[in-house]
Structures are given as structure tokens and as C-alpha cells.
Amino acid sequence: MKSIEWIGGKVRFIDQTKLPTEEIFIETDDLAVLSDAIRTLKIRGAPALGVAAAYGIVLATQHLRTETLQELSDAVDRSASQIAHTRPTARNLFWALERMRSVCRLNTQESATQIHQRLLDEALAIHTEDREMCAAIGMYGAEVVPDPAVILTHCNTGALATGGEGTAQSIITTAFDQGKKISVYVDETRPLLQGARLTTWELQKKGIPVTLITDNTAAFVMARKKVDLVVVGADRIAANGDVVNKVGTYNVAIIAKEHGVPFYVAAPTSTIDLGSEHGGLIPIEERDPIEVTEGFGRRTAPEGTNVYSPAFDVTPHPLITAIVTERGILRPPFFDSIRSGLRRGNEGAV
Ligand code: MRU
């Protein structure tokens, strides 16, 4: 399933807020519409945000008739700044914007027409690379999945969240496609229910046995049932291996440690932020309280209730067994393996 694509000068994407009951696609050539879609989680998931951000730059500049390269470069910067203000946490969004900006910076001798083409090519390359990274993550990650395997996951990390077949979810589907007997516990993922609405929808479509649990059931499941591994995605990974992911991931990691269950994180290297020494330095988005008190239209707390709603949390690196990237599986000590992983090609375990 293509959750986002570039078609004839427009971006086409599935409105994830309508799932699982309605499959509605939106097509736009307007950066304001795309930015709003990111802000409201119609498009969501770190790698998909990177792809959307890149296409957003093309949307904003494709019809601009500029006299000079400087004017085009200024327009790219302005649209990048607009997109950068949509959501603050996913590294992939900023990584993609930086790649788009560098197209102007690195090709100063070219005409504006050539740069327009280069911007589109770069956005399409970011999308293609993301698809390939998802496939490689699936391949490397499937190696750590036993047969049979009971897997627990949190949030949504599938085709909806990426430009390809997913990160953590690509590991699940690749192992399944290899013929392994897989079943998955999916955390509902409060408050926006990415697990309940999106992950179950995607896994069911693939015919993978899935059991939905409320977030607070994970400990009991690990105590009473056999869970072989946890696998989750990431929105940003700090230089020391601390992982920022959907709020509740930290809880799952603690519970997994307590029960001796391996805890894997899957993400492309575009999610890694060497500029953040540790997770405490990563900006954590706070969402509108209404998503907690009136999620999906029903009031569940009294008017005026004080709410704290971070969209993400930080899982400290000692709780993480390994990080699966498109360049292989990175193991502790992450400070070293992340650096050597970034230096190497797609060669496997580090
Ligand atoms: O707020 P969201 O739905 O964009 O958060 C998404 C997540 O936390 C995912 O786990 C993460 O982006 C990895 S997606 C492959």
C-alpha cells in the first residue's frame, strides 16, 4: 500500500485520521494543506514525515518563476521553515529538509530550471531510499525473530508510517513472509490509538494473527503469556542510543527488561541525530489536551481538567537490546556502534 506518493505535480496520501473505518485519499499541490496534514497526523510516522517534507518543498517551489537562483533558494528556505514548524520531534523531517536545502547550496552554477528538476529528483530519491531502507531493516531484523515468535509492538510502524513497508513492522512482515509462525500483540497506543486503528488494520490485511491489548495490559501479557521479543520504531535516536518514540514505549521497555524479553528498536539511519548527545536533549512534542479529554469526540474527563500530553518519551539506551537499521544491527555500546554503523555500508551486524 502506498501511503504517500508523488503524482503529476501533486502529493497523494491516505488520511490516517479516518482509518480504519474509511480509506480516504487526499491529493494536493498546496503546501499549506500538506503542512496541516502533518500537524493533524493525517500523515504521520517519522520516515513518512521525511518523505512528505521533501515533497512539500517541491510543491511550494515548482510553479515559482524566479529570476535568480538566490530567489529560488530563499523560497526553499521559507518553505523548509514552514514545514519545520509542523512537528518538532521526528528527526527524518529535518533530515529531509536539510537534503532539499543542500540541492540549492551544492549547485550554484546551475539555472533555476535545472534546480527545479534537481529538487524533484531529490524528493523522489528520498522516497525511493526510504522504501529500500524499510526492506533492508526487514531483512536484517527478521534474523533475530525466532520461529515461532510472539511479538509485542507499540504504535504504528508500517507502510502508513513510512515511504515503504515499514520499520519495526517490516521486521514482522518479513519474518512472516519467510514462513515463520508469527503472532503479534499490538498496544492500543493512547491517546490517538495508532496501534488499534492502524497497526491492526495493516497486519490484518497481511493475514498476520494480531491481538489488540490496551497499553496497560503489556505487563500482564509478558508475565502470563510468552512474548519472545518487543519491536518498536523510533522518531529520533540520540548519539548514545537513547530512543525517542511514541509515548508509552519507555513503559514497554521497562516491562520487557523486568521479564527478560529482548527489546528491539527499528529505524533507518535518517532517524539518528548525532547532534543530540542523549535523549534528554531531544525536543518532545506536546499535543492538544483535547486529544486526551475528548479523543474521538467523546468527553472522558471533566471540563477544565489539567492535562499533560507528550507525544513521545525517551527510552534510555541500557533498556535496548539492539537497534536494527538498514545498515545492519547495532548493538551496545551504542555510542560506538552507531558511529561505525553510520560509517559503513549495508554490511550487516556491527
Ligand atoms: O505521532 P506519530 O503517530 O507520528 O508517532 C509515530 C511513532 O512514534 C512511530 O513509532 C515512529 O515514528 C516510527 S514510524 C516507522
Side-chain angles (χ1 to χ4, degrees), residues 41 44-47 87 154-157 161-162 167 194 233-235 245-246 312:
L41 273 62
R44 51 149 294 286
R87 298 192 73 191
H154 189 75
C155 198
N156 172 264
T157 61
T162 64
T167 56
Q194 287 92 333
D235 283 82
N245 190 47
K246 178 53 56 194
F312 305 98

Side-chain angles (χ1 to χ4, degrees), residues 39-62:
R39 208 174 287 112
T40 55
L41 273 62
K42 290 186 177 87
I43 303 171
R44 51 149 294 286
L49 293 181
V51 174
Y55 286 146
I57 298 289
V58 185
L59 285 187
T61 53
Q62 63 182 345

